[in-house]
């Protein structure tokens, strides 16, 4: 006869083995998911006294910390000018009493978001001064009404900035992301430095390891090494993942500030519709990345419509051409080799 105690024991054993199996599966997933390409930390450059020339270089103020940011009221341009009298035309500045580690170009892809831009500029200028960084802000504006092409604007921003000065470091920056901590230093390291590691819209967490949207900093050599962004994503989505995949292929790590420092608020806006082709285009990133990037923008025949050194930023309005029609697009993408579904799933694994 089976006693109650017996039964309970059997239930307990079954229960324990289910829990045990689940535990082992979770551990296996965690191990498989261990991602050696992501490193959390601050760039060593800021406080490494051993680096050559460190003595004359700017030091980070140890008192920097979190700040309250205002993403609701918009200053007017005159107010921004008044708040930043020491800035040169074009939105450039360099520390007067020490040598900045790098010359930094901030590249902001832009169209029709003036309110966001003003909120961002109000925050960036004083922050960068506190961080003692030599910088200039480039707003690259897409002319016309075609779908937005964030990647192409980034590449053009790089090329146009290089005509102005030999920048060491490029920070590709969404117009609507407002940094919440002065310690999130706007300098490059020798990897792909993803500065927006914690965005309020995403509950201050990274959604997947390979996520590289928002704000990302690469030194000049690495921008060329990854061949910049793809030029051919029109409309919302995937160009940031394509960029992340390039950094992976070029052997770069993603480095991020810890989540309590890499905090950003995103100014609220309506979500754009996902582009028709983004996902299928992303599948062919590997066969395209060496030809479709910075090295291809000359052939795109983009035209600078207007370049103005405004008091608090450099405005570059560009005609970037048009998206291809459906037929051309299909033909172009059809002949490209795809990555596997497994690669795709692993890329997006959280
Ligand atoms: C996400 C990413 C962004 C990019 C985009 C996909 C975050 C925080 N940001 O942004 O980096 O990968 O998805 O394409 O995950 N823009 C304009 N005018 C427009 C449209 C876009 O100026 O009409 C610029 C602007 O700098 C904006 C950026 O492009 O911040 C990204 O576009 P979004 O803000 O509409 O898209 P969002 O927030 O989903
Ligand atoms: Mn946004």
């Amino acid at each position: 006869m089976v006693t109650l105690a017996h039964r309970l024991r059997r239930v307990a054993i079954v229960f324990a083995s289910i829990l045990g199996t689940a535990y082992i599966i979770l551990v296996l997933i965690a191990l498989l998911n261990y991602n050696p390409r992501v490193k959390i930390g601050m760039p060593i450059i800021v406080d490494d006294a051993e680096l050559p020339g460190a003595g004359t270089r700017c030091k980070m103020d140890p008192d920097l910390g979190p700040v309250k940011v205002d993403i609701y009221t918009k200053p007017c341009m005159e107010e921004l000018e008044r708040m930043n009298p020491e800035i040169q035309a074009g939105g450039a500045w360099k520390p007067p009493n020490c040598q900045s580690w790098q010359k930094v170009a901030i590249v902001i892809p832009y169209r029709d978001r003036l309110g966001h831009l003003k909120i961002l500029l109000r925050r960036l200028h004083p922050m960068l001064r506190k961080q003692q960084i030599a910088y200039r802000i480039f707003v690259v504006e897409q002319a016309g009404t075609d779908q937005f092409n964030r990647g192409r604007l980034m590449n053009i921003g790089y090329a146009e900035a290089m005509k102005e000065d030999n920048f060491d470091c490029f920070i590709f920056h969404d117009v609507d992301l407002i940094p919440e901590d002065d310690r999130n230093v706007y300098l490059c390291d020798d990897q792909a430095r993803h500065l927006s590691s914690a965005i309020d819209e995403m509950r201050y967490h990274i959604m997947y390891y390979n996520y590289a949207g928002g704000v990302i900093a690469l030194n000049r050599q690495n921008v060329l090494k990854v061949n910049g962004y793809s030029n051919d994503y029109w409309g919302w989505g995937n160009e940031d993942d394509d960029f992340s995949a390039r950094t992976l292929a070029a052997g770069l790590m993603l480095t991020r500030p810890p989540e309590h420092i890499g905090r950003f608020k995103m100014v609220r806006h309506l979500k754009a519709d996902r582009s028709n082709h983004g996902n299928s285009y992303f599948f062919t990133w590997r066969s395209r990345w060496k030809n479709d990037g910075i090295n291809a923008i000359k052939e795109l025949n983009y035209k600078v419509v207007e370049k103005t050194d405004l008091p608090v930023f450099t405005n570059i309005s560009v005609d970037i051409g048009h998206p291809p029609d459906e037929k051309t697009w299909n033909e172009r993408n059809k002949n490209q080799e795809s990555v596997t579904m497994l690669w795709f799933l692993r890329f997006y694994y959280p």
Side-chain angles (χ1 to χ4, degrees):
M1 226 185 79
V2 187
T3 64
L4 182 66
H6 231 94
R7 253 193 212 161
L8 281 178
R9 226 174 80 195
R10 282 235 303 266
V11 170
I13 288 171
V14 170
F15 193 65
S17 29
I18 292 174
L19 272 185
T21 318
Y23 179 74
I24 289 169
I25 291 174
L26 283 177
V27 168
L28 280 177
I29 289 178
L31 282 176
L32 275 177
N33 197 28
Y34 170 70
N35 192 323
R37 79 170 295 222
V38 174
K39 200 172 128 207
I40 309 295
M42 299 304 281
I44 51 160
I45 196 165
V46 187
D47 50 23
D48 192 346
E50 311 275 287
L51 287 171
T56 57
R57 298 289 185 154
C58 299
K59 306 264 182 308
M60 278 284 276
D61 182 346
D63 292 333
L64 299 186
V67 288
K68 261 207 145 57
V69 301
D70 172 6
I71 57 166
Y72 297 106
T73 65
K74 304 173 183 89
C76 62
M77 283 296 169
E78 291 73 37
E79 205 175 327
L80 288 172
E81 214 181 319
R82 263 200 315 278
M83 287 161 67
N84 300 287
E86 53 284 79
I87 303 180
Q88 288 166 7
W93 182 81
K94 67 174 191 223
N97 301 320
C98 58
Q99 208 191 335
S100 170
W101 285 102
Q102 297 165 351
K103 262 193 265 184
V104 179
I106 299 185
V107 177
I108 303 173
Y110 175 87
R111 182 167 68 192
D112 199 18
R113 299 267 188 108
L114 188 57
H116 296 186
L117 180 61
K118 289 170 176 171
I119 293 172
L120 178 63
L121 292 171
R122 172 174 62 201
R123 170 74 184 115
L124 277 191
H125 282 297
M127 182 186 89
L128 294 168
R129 282 202 299 275
K130 276 193 254 171
Q131 294 181 349
Q132 300 278 299
I133 290 171
Y135 68 91
R136 178 161 172 178
I137 298 180
F138 296 89
V139 173
V140 193
E141 179 180 26
Q142 178 171 339
T145 54
D146 284 313
Q147 282 186 302
F148 197 70
N149 190 327
R150 184 170 172 271
R152 202 174 276 208
L153 293 171
M154 299 298 201
N155 291 342
I156 293 171
Y158 169 86
E160 292 298 313
M162 284 302 288
K163 289 182 189 165
E164 298 292 326
D165 204 343
N166 199 22
F167 289 99
D168 308 295
C169 169
F170 289 80
I171 302 191
F172 301 106
H173 205 304
D174 275 9
V175 73
D176 52 13
L177 287 176
I178 317 299
E180 292 186 70
D181 198 307
D182 284 338
R183 288 168 295 181
N184 196 1
V185 52
Y186 272 38
L187 288 173
C188 289
D189 55 17
D190 55 1
Q191 307 294 324
R193 183 156 181 79
H194 187 220
L195 293 170
S196 51
S197 62
I199 299 174
D200 65 343
E201 239 225 339
M202 300 164 196
R203 295 182 298 117
Y204 291 113
H205 289 303
I206 288 290
M207 291 184 296
Y208 44 97
Y209 279 118
N210 289 310
Y211 169 68
V215 184
I216 191 161
L218 273 79
N219 67 29
R220 189 176 62 241
Q221 293 77 9
N222 283 336
V223 174
L224 294 177
K225 195 170 176 193
V226 305
N227 198 15
Y229 280 80
S230 164
N231 295 299
D232 292 338
Y233 287 87
W234 297 88
W236 185 93
N238 294 97
E239 88 298 333
D240 50 344
D241 296 329
D242 185 296
F243 189 74
S244 172
R246 287 163 183 242
T247 62
L248 180 69
L252 300 181
M253 286 196 285
L254 280 178
T255 59
R256 297 196 173 110
E259 285 185 347
H260 71 286
I261 289 180
R263 286 168 76 93
F264 283 77
K265 275 199 169 36
M266 189 162 105
V267 189
R268 303 291 173 259
H269 61 77
L270 291 176
K271 281 270 159 207
D273 290 337
R274 182 171 262 287
S275 91
N276 304 336
H277 301 304
N279 248 330
S280 49
Y281 213 47
F282 183 38
F283 265 96
T284 61
W285 72 270
R286 203 200 295 275
S287 53
R288 286 182 294 100
W289 77 282
K290 293 212 166 130
N291 307 315
D292 164 21
I294 295 247
N295 64 359
I297 53 169
K298 278 232 174 72
E299 297 143 40
L300 298 175
N301 291 322
Y302 73 89
K303 278 190 217 59
V304 174
V305 181
E306 197 185 321
K307 183 166 182 174
T308 325
D309 289 355
L310 294 170
V312 283
F313 65 95
T314 302
N315 191 69
I316 306 172
S317 179
V318 270
D319 176 350
I320 64 168
H322 306 286
D325 62 32
E326 199 72 6
K327 193 162 151 259
T328 323
W329 191 90
N330 281 330
E331 260 157 32
R332 205 192 288 166
N333 201 37
K334 197 173 63 193
N335 303 324
Q336 304 283 352
E337 201 182 313
S338 257
V339 292
T340 62
M341 194 60 184
L342 185 66
W343 184 93
F344 188 80
L345 291 176
R346 287 200 66 178
F347 182 87
Y348 284 112
Y349 196 83

